[in-house]
Amino acid sequence: QVQLVESGGGSVQAGGSLRLSCAVFGYTPTTYCMGWFRQAPGKEREGVATIDSDGRPSYVVDSVKGRFTISQDNAKNTLYLQMNSLKPEDTAMYYCAAAFGVFGGGCPRRVGSYNYWGQGTQVTVSS
């Protein structure tokens, strides 16, 4: 069984920064994808950034390019999302997710491709 636990969310003013963490508990194979997703009220959940088991980012949504960075620390079994220059439109519940296996073409951004999900952490950015 795999458990993902996010932390690091909060309320910040526009232009501020937050770092989200996702601790992974339980079995993880040598090959996997992990990702950060977000869901704003009334909107569908969307992929923000994904990363493979070698630590290579696969996908970053255009709206956060140059501001958000996905990374992982395998020794700590932890996934991170560094968020800088935050904007009010970044306000959402942020989720981390994991998918096991080999994915041709890099780690997917589709919600349905991920099997394991955390409970989410709220990020609120005020103007």
Side-chain angles (χ1 to χ4, degrees):
Q1 192 62 278
V2 177
Q3 185 179 12
L4 308 178
V5 180
E6 301 101 331
S7 61
S11 297
V12 297
Q13 290 191 325
S17 297
L18 285 172
R19 187 176 80 156
L20 305 184
S21 298
C22 172
V24 181
F25 300 94
Y27 167 75
T28 52
T30 55
T31 305
Y32 57 83
C33 285
M34 294 200 70
W36 286 100
F37 297 77
R38 66 184 180 185
Q39 187 167 18
K43 294 189 176 181
E44 292 188 353
R45 191 171 298 187
E46 67 168 349
V48 176
T50 65
I51 191 168
D52 67 20
S53 46
D54 290 326
R56 293 174 300 207
S58 293
Y59 169 77
V60 180
V61 68
D62 286 345
S63 59
V64 309
K65 282 182 179 177
R67 301 188 298 122
F68 290 13
T69 303
I70 188 171
S71 64
Q72 63 186 19
D73 185 334
N74 288 337
K76 296 182 179 180
N77 287 339
T78 302
L79 177 73
Y80 301 101
L81 185 68
Q82 178 67 45
M83 305 187 296
N84 299 327
S85 303
L86 282 160
K87 303 176 180 180
E89 51 264 42
D90 295 319
T91 295
M93 184 72 79
Y94 283 72
Y95 300 89
C96 70
F100 296 162
V102 178
F103 295 84
C107 291
R109 61 178 178 174
R110 287 178 57 251
V111 170
S113 297
Y114 291 80
N115 310 100
Y116 302 97
W117 291 84
Q119 82 288 352
T121 186
Q122 178 68 38
V123 172
T124 302
V125 185
S126 58
S127 58

